[in-house]
Amino acid sequence: VKQTKTAVGQRKATFGVLVTAAFKKDTEGFYVEDGIIVVHPFGVPYIAQILRNNIIELTLASQTKKEIDIKAKELINYIAGDEFKSMANDTIYRAKLLGEILAKEMKSHMSLWHDRFEHYKNIHSNVNILEGNTKAILKGEKPQKIQKDELLRLPFSVEVVKKQ
């Protein structure tokens, strides 16, 4: 925070943002300390969007440097408040959860895709074997004995839906 505060002063920046996954005790993914915004990486895109849009608004407002500084301080005071902090932490937590859900979904899809691929591969293999055997019969040759470890079958009790 001290290093970021120094950098803000040197660069005469409007805001200072420290991105970190390491937080002090009793803090979460977002807080403001000594005028510096501290945010977890999951929250960076959202906080950056808000700050960027506000900096543009401040710049386009045709105000004096003093007026811009006053508005920037009001803005940082709001950002440091509980309402903003609660919403930011909620956003960060949800972004984290979505990342975890996406990872689970990808793993599930990979598993399903692997299963589908194996079935398509077996279908292709079955058709090739059957085609080879039927061609052998047409040539007057004896079909090869089919040796497969596991042959799948539809269950005997297949229900037929009658149109009414």
Side-chain angles (χ1 to χ4, degrees), residues 15 30-32 35 37 47 50-51 54 70-88:
F15 301 106
F30 178 90
Y31 65 96
V32 177
I37 298 166
I47 300 304
I50 292 167
L51 293 175
N54 280 286
I70 290 169
K71 294 278 186 190
K73 283 181 182 161
E74 289 174 4
L75 191 57
I76 199 70
N77 285 338
Y78 175 72
I79 290 171
D82 289 339
E83 183 178 81
F84 192 98
K85 183 167 73 171
S86 293
M87 293 292 284

Side-chain angles (χ1 to χ4, degrees), residues 93-109:
Y93 183 69
R94 289 175 188 277
K96 178 183 180 292
L97 289 178
L98 284 171
E100 292 168 359
I101 291 168
L102 179 60
K104 287 178 189 174
E105 184 179 5
M106 289 170 60
K107 185 176 179 181
S108 172
H109 280 302

Side-chain angles (χ1 to χ4, degrees), residues 30-121:
F30 178 90
Y31 65 96
V32 177
E33 181 179 315
D34 199 18
I36 300 300
I37 298 166
V38 182
V39 62
H40 188 279
F42 284 128
V44 170
Y46 314 107
I47 300 304
Q49 175 188 349
I50 292 167
L51 293 175
R52 185 181 307 115
N53 291 342
N54 280 286
I55 289 169
I56 291 168
E57 288 292 319
L58 281 171
T59 305
L60 295 177
S62 299
Q63 298 177 4
T64 66
K65 171 76 170 123
K66 186 177 180 180
E67 290 170 326
I68 290 173
D69 288 344
I70 290 169
K71 294 278 186 190
K73 283 181 182 161
E74 289 174 4
L75 191 57
I76 199 70
N77 285 338
Y78 175 72
I79 290 171
D82 289 339
E83 183 178 81
F84 192 98
K85 183 167 73 171
S86 293
M87 293 292 284
N89 280 323
D90 181 74
T91 300
I92 291 165
Y93 183 69
R94 289 175 188 277
K96 178 183 180 292
L97 289 178
L98 284 171
E100 292 168 359
I101 291 168
L102 179 60
K104 287 178 189 174
E105 184 179 5
M106 289 170 60
K107 185 176 179 181
S108 172
H109 280 302
M110 292 301 288
S111 175
L112 289 171
W113 292 337
H114 177 268
D115 291 349
R116 279 178 53 198
F117 177 78
E118 287 300 314
H119 289 298
Y120 284 128
K121 186 171 81 172

Side-chain angles (χ1 to χ4, degrees), residues 114-138:
H114 177 268
D115 291 349
R116 279 178 53 198
F117 177 78
E118 287 300 314
H119 289 298
Y120 284 128
K121 186 171 81 172
N122 277 286
I123 289 169
H124 182 75
S125 173
N126 290 348
V127 170
N128 283 337
I129 291 168
L130 294 174
E131 187 173 39
N133 281 346
T134 55
K135 283 182 181 180
I137 291 169
L138 293 178

